[in-house]
Amino acid sequence: MKKVNNPHDNFFRKSFSVKEVALGYLKEFLDEEIVQELDLDGSLELQKDSFVTDDLVEQYADLVYRCNFKRKRTRKKDISLDVYICLLFEHKSYPVKFPYRQLLEYILAAWRKMDEQKEPFRLVMPIVVYHGEKKWHHKPLEEYFYFPNKHFRRFLPIFDYVLTDLSRVSQKRILKLRDNAMLLNALMAMKYARNSEQVIKYLGRILAYSDKYFNTEEGMNYFYVLFVYINETISLKSKKIYEIMTTLPKPIREASLSTYQQIVNEGIEQG
């Protein structure tokens, strides 16, 4: 498969591969009726699978989680009682005109793989995370087609997708996620990643509450990943950025300046 070397994809994968981040995101952005039926706390598990084909790699990066349903309503052995929750990161800066085509290809690729591996077919739930500046208009599949009466609907594939358009998710909502600081930092960073002026303006909010995870090695590693992503968005060597870092709360200021120096030194060595 052709690989796309994209800093946005890389940051998305590293962020949402952290189970705590993915779990917090799903609880926040999935409909409550769906969350109530999924055993997210007990069975959510990251898979090695990827269903992005060569035709889709220019459009999406994906992470696949597997999760059990809470209520088991069938005893049939050939029906799966779990679901694939597929996080699809839209790495283009503009929305797709007809996303259902690519998403259907993605679902078919997943089912094809299950068939090849002699597994029971399971539900595939596509979730699109988009951070372009233009609004993504999410509308039902049937609105793309004309048919004179309801009887023609049966000729359409019946499926939908969940959309998180970060350009339409308010700062206020994201900053309420302070109990899951990694998720908060990831969403804020991706929200403004395509606008360097906004990154500079909101740097303090992008890094907000990050000191909550400084007490673990995984947390400090993630803070480094976050800073590398910011560095790929804007130049950390900017005097303005350095000045802003010196005004941050003490734990975040010290970690920021230390990480800043580390990235600068690594840049010198690589040069």
Side-chain angles (χ1 to χ4, degrees), residues 94-146:
Y94 52 87
V96 183
K97 183 178 180 180
F98 182 56
Y100 288 96
R101 183 185 70 80
Q102 291 96 333
L103 293 174
L104 182 57
E105 289 178 8
Y106 183 84
I107 294 171
L108 291 174
W111 286 342
R112 188 178 302 113
K113 191 168 186 177
M114 295 173 207
D115 193 27
E116 291 171 351
Q117 296 179 351
K118 309 300 182 184
E119 296 179 356
F121 291 101
R122 59 176 50 86
L123 195 64
V124 176
M125 185 190 306
I127 301 175
V128 177
V129 181
Y130 167 72
H131 73 150
E133 294 183 1
K134 292 185 177 180
K135 183 178 180 179
W136 183 301
H137 295 280
H138 182 193
K139 58 183 181 180
L141 174 63
E142 64 184 49
E143 290 189 12
Y144 287 88
F145 300 90
Y146 167 77

Side-chain angles (χ1 to χ4, degrees), residues 179-195:
D179 290 336
N180 192 331
M182 284 188 187
L183 175 60
L184 184 157
N185 298 153
L187 295 180
M188 285 292 290
M190 291 191 295
K191 178 177 175 65
Y192 296 114
R194 297 190 184 277
N195 189 322

